[in-house]
Amino acid sequence: MKKLRAFLQRYFIQTDTFLALVISVLSWWLLQNYFQTLSDDFFLALIGASVSLLGFLIATISIIFAFKDGPKLDQLQKSGRYYQVIHIYLSAIFWVSLFALLFIGHISLTFSPTLQQLALTSFVVFSVIKIWRCVWIVKQMFYLSIPKNNHAH
């Protein structure tokens, strides 16, 4: 069990991505009978959602950069986790951008219904997993900024 935990801690970004991929394919496979052909308006809404998520990610990574040298993030810097935090955000930005481009491409080109459905389920699963990790980091960084005796988990 310790080896598994050590592996997951060391490769958590790759594990998140692999887990998202597996859940996406399984979700698509289980739900494919419930999907219909998706309209361009639906993909325009997905583009809007993707851009909004990118805005959140870019804003929070900018805040993290802005306070990089501040005393509140010293503990994060000293632990060596600062670069992991940045890597997590860059990974999330990459995946959300990829889906945004895929949805923009759908407006220009016509994708098969199967690809549409797989893109939709993948977007939802990847976004939930990657954004959840980023929100968790923001929560942990908030806890770094307040005195320890005031933490309410």
Side-chain angles (χ1 to χ4, degrees):
M1 189 59 128
K2 286 184 180 182
K3 286 184 180 184
L4 177 62
R5 186 179 189 126
F7 176 84
L8 292 176
Q9 286 179 346
R10 181 173 169 96
Y11 299 105
F12 62 90
I13 294 173
Q14 293 87 345
T15 304
D16 280 358
T17 303
F18 179 74
L19 183 66
L21 182 63
V22 169
I23 293 172
S24 297
V25 171
L26 284 174
S27 299
W28 166 77
W29 183 71
L30 291 171
L31 298 173
Q32 65 183 334
N33 293 331
Y34 299 102
F35 280 113
Q36 310 170 25
T37 302
L38 304 172
S39 70
D40 285 348
D41 290 339
F42 185 76
F43 279 94
L44 287 171
L46 288 175
I47 292 168
S50 300
V51 170
S52 296
L53 288 173
L54 282 171
F56 164 75
L57 292 168
I58 291 169
T60 53
I61 200 170
S62 298
I63 291 168
I64 292 169
F65 275 133
F67 292 105
K68 175 185 169 199
D69 297 323
K72 300 292 185 185
L73 294 183
D74 274 349
Q75 185 179 3
L76 189 62
Q77 292 271 20
K78 289 176 186 172
S79 71
R81 302 277 188 203
Y82 181 78
Y83 294 105
Q84 286 180 332
V85 167
I86 298 303
H87 192 80
I88 290 167
Y89 272 88
L90 293 177
S91 173
I93 289 169
F94 169 79
W95 285 104
V96 173
S97 298
L98 182 69
F99 285 112
L101 290 173
L102 185 64
F103 298 145
I104 291 168
H106 171 74
I107 299 300
S108 307
L109 310 166
T110 303
F111 293 143
S112 70
T114 301
L115 185 59
Q116 291 177 5
Q117 297 159 1
L118 187 57
L120 174 62
T121 55
S122 297
F123 171 70
V124 170
V125 172
F126 271 77
S127 296
V128 167
I129 288 175
K130 297 296 184 178
I131 300 297
W132 175 84
R133 176 74 78 175
C134 292
V135 170
W136 180 83
I137 289 171
V138 169
K139 177 184 163 191
Q140 299 306 314
M141 293 180 77
F142 173 74
Y143 286 146
L144 284 175
S145 71
I146 59 176
K148 285 195 180 266
N149 57 356
N150 291 340
H151 286 210
H153 296 278

